[in-house]
Amino acid sequence: MEYTPRLKTQYKEEIISSLKKNYKSVMEVPSLKKICINQGVGKGSTDKKIIESAQEEMSLIAGQKAVVTKSKRDISNFKLRKGMPVGVMVTLRGDQMYEFLDRLITAALPRVRDFRGISSKGFDGRGNYTLGIKEQIVFPEISIDKVRNITGMDITFVTSTDSDEEALILLKKLGLPFINDNKKPITKEDSKISSLEESPAEETPAEESPAEESPAEETPAEESPAEETPVEETPVEETPVEESPTEESPVEETPKKNNKLEEK
């Protein structure tokens, strides 16, 4: 007997029968065409050992020999020239595609740190979904002792549909754990209702605030006359009266009159 992957038989027997109700023909039911795995090397473009180790790791993960991707043009900012190695990629189809997807769902994703599910924001608008993984250690085929650099990768699921909704339903049926499935998106009506509910709560402190501020405004009005009353300016006007030096003039004149009497 020929070996067939578990997800492939599940798709033919269960998924197609559950989805064909929404379509006129069985041929319109969406299907998974291929899975593309890409990994960038980064600074390893100048080191051949890093590229070789990345190629070996990718071939172990995918079960198929990986291909080295090369730059198509010269980029001076990244110190790249045309033909230099940039990363590694693999394209899976058929049975190998379903086997990789089964290992990804059952073994790799549960080993991710603080895994709570996959977000549904990775669709490109044409029915294709891209998943990012930060560490290649997640896959059990790789031993941590032999790893030189921890690098991530992008996994792209290409479907036969052009709508994201149909592709999302298909990937859910295949077993990919998406988060926020039960939560509804917030609409404009919900936002208006929430704003109306919050508005009276905000008006109550606004009415109380002026009542508290009113006595504070009266207090400086009562203090203002107290500041105007001080009569400390009056001695300033008396000082020039005390300093009148004009009174000394008759004192100086008296000796002059005595001198005239002596002369006579």
Side-chain angles (χ1 to χ4, degrees), residues 1-257:
M1 292 178 67
E2 293 182 358
Y3 170 74
T4 56
R6 183 179 64 85
L7 286 176
K8 189 174 182 180
T9 56
Q10 184 180 356
Y11 174 74
K12 289 181 179 180
E13 294 176 359
E14 298 177 4
I15 296 171
I16 291 173
S17 62
S18 63
L19 293 176
K20 70 180 180 180
K21 298 177 183 178
N22 299 324
Y23 301 96
K24 295 180 181 179
S25 176
V26 179
M27 301 299 291
E28 293 180 357
V29 177
S31 62
L32 190 64
K33 293 290 184 182
K34 60 182 178 180
I35 295 174
C36 300
I37 308 168
N38 297 316
Q39 183 179 4
V41 178
K43 295 180 180 179
S45 60
T46 56
D47 192 356
K48 292 182 180 180
K49 292 181 181 180
I50 294 171
I51 296 165
E52 290 176 357
S53 63
Q55 190 174 5
E56 291 176 358
E57 290 174 359
M58 185 64 72
S59 59
L60 288 172
I61 291 167
Q64 182 178 330
K65 188 176 181 181
V67 179
V68 178
T69 57
K70 297 181 180 180
S71 62
K72 296 180 181 179
R73 63 183 70 181
D74 299 334
I75 301 172
S76 61
N77 293 329
F78 297 103
K79 297 180 180 179
L80 283 175
R81 292 182 181 178
K82 186 177 180 180
M84 289 180 70
V86 175
V88 179
M89 69 170 293
V90 178
T91 303
L92 301 174
R93 293 183 178 88
D95 293 342
Q96 293 179 352
M97 176 182 69
Y98 286 105
E99 286 178 358
F100 173 77
L101 182 59
D102 194 359
R103 286 187 283 110
L104 177 68
I105 294 166
T106 57
L109 290 177
R111 297 179 66 184
V112 178
R113 294 180 183 178
D114 299 331
F115 181 73
R116 296 178 183 177
I118 300 168
S119 65
S120 59
K121 297 180 181 180
F123 289 94
D124 61 349
R126 297 179 181 178
N128 303 321
Y129 179 74
T130 303
L131 173 66
I133 293 174
K134 295 181 180 179
E135 297 176 351
Q136 79 273 27
I137 304 168
V138 170
F139 294 94
E141 292 85 5
I142 294 171
S143 62
I144 299 171
D145 298 332
K146 296 180 180 179
V147 173
R148 293 183 179 180
N149 296 320
I150 294 172
T151 55
M153 62 185 70
D154 294 330
I155 302 169
T156 304
F157 302 93
V158 181
T159 60
S160 61
T161 61
D162 293 333
S163 66
D164 295 339
E165 295 178 355
E166 294 178 358
L168 179 62
I169 293 166
L170 174 64
L171 294 175
K172 284 181 181 178
K173 295 285 186 181
L174 290 171
L176 285 174
F178 287 94
I179 57 173
N180 297 327
D181 293 336
N182 296 324
K183 292 182 180 180
K184 295 181 180 179
I186 297 170
T187 59
K188 293 181 179 179
E189 295 178 355
D190 295 334
S191 62
K192 289 180 181 178
I193 292 164
S194 62
S195 63
L196 291 171
E197 289 176 355
E198 292 176 356
S199 59
E202 293 177 354
E203 288 178 358
T204 51
E207 292 177 356
E208 292 176 357
S209 59
E212 294 177 355
E213 290 178 358
S214 59
E217 291 178 355
E218 291 176 357
T219 52
E222 293 176 355
E223 292 176 356
S224 59
E227 293 178 356
E228 292 178 357
T229 52
V231 194
E232 293 178 355
E233 294 180 356
T234 53
V236 178
E237 294 178 355
E238 291 176 356
T239 51
V241 177
E242 292 176 357
E243 290 178 357
S244 61
T246 54
E247 294 178 356
E248 295 178 357
S249 58
V251 178
E252 292 179 355
E253 290 177 356
T254 51
K256 289 180 181 179
K257 291 178 182 181

